[in-house]
């Protein structure tokens, strides 16, 4: 997937992010920056104060890669998973 995202081609897919519920502000700042590639955002509070966020995305590979990297830098992020629709 990493090699695909180096291209300037358009991709569609989903990103699943799990992080502590109290760290939502960091997520919202990043979300605003990449709003142009986010088609849908769904979030659900899980047990143990963990929040699951699902982003349906569409954009250039390099933009998607930058979005993922920004999400991975959120302090205490539990996981960031990319699923491409190719």
């Amino acid at each position: 997937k990493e090699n695909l995202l180096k291209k300037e081609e358009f991709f569609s897919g989903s990103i699943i992010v799990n992080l502590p519920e109290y760290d939502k502000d960091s997520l919202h700042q990043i979300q605003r920056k990449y709003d142009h590639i986010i088609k849908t955002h769904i979030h659900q509070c899980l047990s143990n104060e963990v929040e699951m966020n699902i982003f349906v995305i569409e954009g250039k590979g390099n933009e998607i890669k930058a979005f993922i990297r920004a999400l991975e830098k959120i302090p205490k992020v539990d996981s960031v998973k990319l699923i491409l629709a190719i």
Side-chain angles (χ1 to χ4, degrees):
K1 291 178 187 174
E2 282 290 316
N3 292 335
L4 288 174
L5 295 179
K6 292 180 181 178
K7 298 180 180 180
E8 291 290 318
E9 296 177 27
F10 276 83
F11 294 94
S12 297
S14 299
I15 298 174
I16 302 170
V17 182
N18 291 330
L19 72 158
E21 189 176 351
Y22 61 81
D23 215 3
K24 289 190 283 191
D25 292 339
S26 300
L27 178 67
H28 291 150
Q29 289 175 359
I30 295 168
Q31 184 179 349
R32 282 191 294 273
K33 182 176 179 181
Y34 293 96
D35 193 44
H36 62 286
I37 65 171
I38 299 170
K39 301 302 174 195
T40 303
H41 174 219
I42 302 166
H43 65 94
Q44 178 65 44
C45 294
L46 305 175
S47 62
N48 300 325
E49 298 180 5
V50 173
E51 183 174 285
M52 175 184 282
N53 293 270
I54 301 171
F55 296 95
V56 177
I57 53 165
E58 183 176 73
K60 290 183 180 180
N62 58 345
E63 294 173 326
I64 294 171
K65 184 175 179 179
F67 183 34
I68 292 168
R69 295 292 176 245
L71 293 169
E72 290 174 333
K73 290 180 182 177
I74 295 174
K76 308 236 183 204
V77 70
D78 186 36
S79 65
V80 178
K81 303 292 182 191
L82 170 65
I83 302 167
L84 288 176
I86 51 173

